Amino acid sequence: MRHSITDRSQVDTGDLGRREGQRNLSEEGRRQATALGASFKELTIPVGEVLSSPVFRALDTAQLAFGEANVKAVPELTADDYEHDQARLAANVAWVSRRLGVPSKGGKVDVLVGHIYPLGMILGRSVSQSEFPEGGFAVFAPSSGSPNFLGFVTPAELLSASHAQ
């Protein structure tokens, strides 16, 4: 999952420890994250592990959608503009790619909340804002320990499938 709608008037400074130095969720983004989580419940999508980037816009999205107690922040999902070491960024992307190939437990859906650019690195191509908008989902199925990309689900598509709008 990509983080929900952000306040584009805010500028990222690359400082993970300071909310005021990051582009945060807008009020619309906060409502969107809550509605997306409600859609999962209404559609009875069983949620397993929820992992999030430690960047506040992703962490807030995960917590609003799936509950604060259910979310674990992991450094491997950090946005590229917060990871200045290219070797570490490549290691993070490799970790996420491997993680996407791991089957969920108990028939549940694991959710990883992150950012657009690292997904493009995993897919090996540029990913546009229109195909993977804020609040969107990239759906993967595990396949012999590697991820099998199935496609994108936009927030509008998920919300229209439920009544959580």
Side-chain angles (χ1 to χ4, degrees):
M1 178 181 186
R2 184 176 177 201
H3 59 76
S4 287
I5 301 166
T6 57
D7 179 346
R8 293 286 177 166
S9 70
Q10 298 173 338
V11 178
D12 281 312
T13 62
D15 185 348
L16 273 175
R18 292 183 42 245
R19 181 180 290 276
E20 62 274 6
Q22 297 184 22
R23 190 176 80 241
N24 292 284
L25 296 182
S26 64
E27 282 307 311
E28 181 182 6
R30 297 179 73 73
R31 286 190 300 273
Q32 181 191 54
T34 301
L36 291 169
S39 290
F40 266 69
K41 286 180 183 170
E42 184 178 321
L43 296 168
T44 62
I45 299 170
V47 177
E49 191 170 33
V50 180
L51 304 177
S52 174
S53 160
V55 176
F56 284 109
R57 60 184 171 264
L59 191 55
D60 291 345
T61 297
Q63 291 174 343
L64 287 165
F66 304 106
E68 190 171 336
N70 300 319
V71 177
K72 179 181 176 187
V74 294
E76 292 84 0
L77 288 167
T78 301
D80 56 296
D81 47 352
Y82 286 83
E83 184 53 73
H84 306 293
D85 179 335
Q86 291 302 307
R88 184 72 212 145
L89 176 59
N92 288 351
V93 169
W95 181 90
V96 174
S97 186
R98 284 189 308 275
R99 179 60 183 80
L100 291 171
V102 174
S104 301
K105 294 180 175 99
K108 296 183 177 184
V109 174
D110 290 343
V111 180
L112 283 66
V113 182
H115 309 274
I116 193 170
Y117 183 76
L119 178 65
M121 293 175 73
I122 290 166
L123 295 177
R125 66 174 179 84
S126 180
V127 177
S128 72
Q129 298 281 338
S130 61
E131 70 181 328
F132 192 44
E134 292 177 317
F137 294 83
V139 182
F140 289 85
S143 176
S144 302
S146 64
N148 178 20
F149 177 63
L150 301 177
F152 291 106
V153 176
T154 67
E157 290 169 330
L158 183 63
L159 292 170
S160 70
S162 73
H163 297 95
Q165 293 184 19

